[in-house]
Amino acid sequence: MRVATESRSFNGDVHCGDQCDWWLEDDTLTLCMIDGLGHGKPAEEAAKAAIDYVSCHLQESLGTLFSGCDKAIRQTRGVAMSIARIDQNEGSLEYGGIGNTRTMICGEKSSNLPSSWGIVGGGFRHLHIERANISQDDLLIMWTDGIPENITISSYDSYMLQDEQQLAKKILDDHGRMTDDATILVYLKG
């Protein structure tokens, strides 16, 4: 298991509203992508409040986790958020997302994982939970809207696809918009 992240703030600002983190407890890996609405210090404060909440509630179901975070960060401007939980032994994935973060599995069976409409911290109506399997050598890629929705992983050579840190940096360099914060997380099951 390998995880890599890369971030870039809008206009070189010291504050970045796009944050991500990951935690491994027993055999469960939790990956979290957050996009604080807007950019600058208020967006960063919202994103960090969401990350803090998630880190303290890793044992909760995704539905309870999203609902609790929604209530806990109401005083902020809110966030788009996605969480993927991977059972390392079984290779099973559970995913939920609210707002415009993006997640895809790249491998023998590639797929995009959808997010539900809404804002965490501003209310949302429904969280759709997606389940999938992660095979050996599959990539899971999560990113914020500072990177376009559709990226083509097949354009990267096989060496790059085996080096998660270089892949994360290259995708951000190739596709990151200069008009927004941007963050990407790459997980390689390998």
Side-chain angles (χ1 to χ4, degrees):
M1 173 209 80
R2 301 188 319 248
V3 179
T5 65
E6 285 287 328
S7 293
R8 181 174 64 212
S9 62
F10 169 66
N11 216 16
D13 193 341
V14 296
H15 300 285
C16 184
D18 291 5
Q19 303 281 321
C20 66
D21 209 340
W22 59 277
W23 305 266
L24 181 61
E25 289 191 346
D26 298 322
D27 293 317
T28 301
L29 175 66
T30 302
L31 306 165
C32 181
M33 181 61 61
I34 307 279
D35 184 345
L37 299 184
H39 54 270
K41 188 175 182 182
E44 182 181 79
E45 288 170 347
K48 286 186 173 181
I51 290 281
D52 289 345
Y53 184 88
V54 171
S55 72
C56 294
H57 297 87
L58 293 172
Q59 299 302 320
E60 295 180 357
S61 70
L62 286 185
T64 302
L65 184 59
F66 273 82
S67 296
C69 188
D70 182 59
K71 291 179 184 128
I73 68 166
R74 287 278 166 126
Q75 77 285 0
T76 73
R77 60 172 50 182
V79 302
M81 179 168 83
S82 57
I83 296 175
R85 282 194 178 142
I86 300 168
D87 182 308
Q88 297 285 92
N89 290 329
E90 295 178 9
S92 60
L93 174 140
E94 181 182 47
Y95 169 83
I98 298 291
N100 60 354
T101 60
R102 313 286 187 234
T103 301
M104 80 172 153
I105 299 169
C106 304
E108 196 171 303
K109 296 179 181 178
S110 295
S111 63
N112 290 316
L113 301 174
S115 290
S116 302
W117 184 89
I119 298 168
V120 178
F124 63 89
R125 292 182 183 196
H126 175 72
L127 174 68
H128 177 74
I129 305 293
E130 190 82 19
R131 288 177 176 77
N133 290 317
I134 298 282
S135 300
Q136 195 70 15
D137 297 324
D138 278 355
L139 289 169
L140 178 80
I141 304 175
M142 304 172 81
W143 67 97
T144 62
D145 70 346
I147 297 170
E149 182 174 352
N150 297 313
I151 54 177
T152 306
I153 298 303
S154 61
S155 64
Y156 296 97
D157 64 35
S158 60
Y159 170 77
M160 184 76 62
L161 296 177
Q162 294 302 311
D163 185 335
E164 68 286 349
Q165 192 62 55
Q166 287 300 317
L167 180 60
K169 182 177 181 341
K170 184 73 170 143
I171 292 171
L172 184 62
D173 289 347
D174 289 351
H175 300 286
R177 295 181 174 121
M178 299 308 294
T179 56
D180 197 1
D181 297 330
T183 294
I184 185 165
L185 179 151
V186 176
Y187 161 78
L188 177 63
K189 187 173 189 316

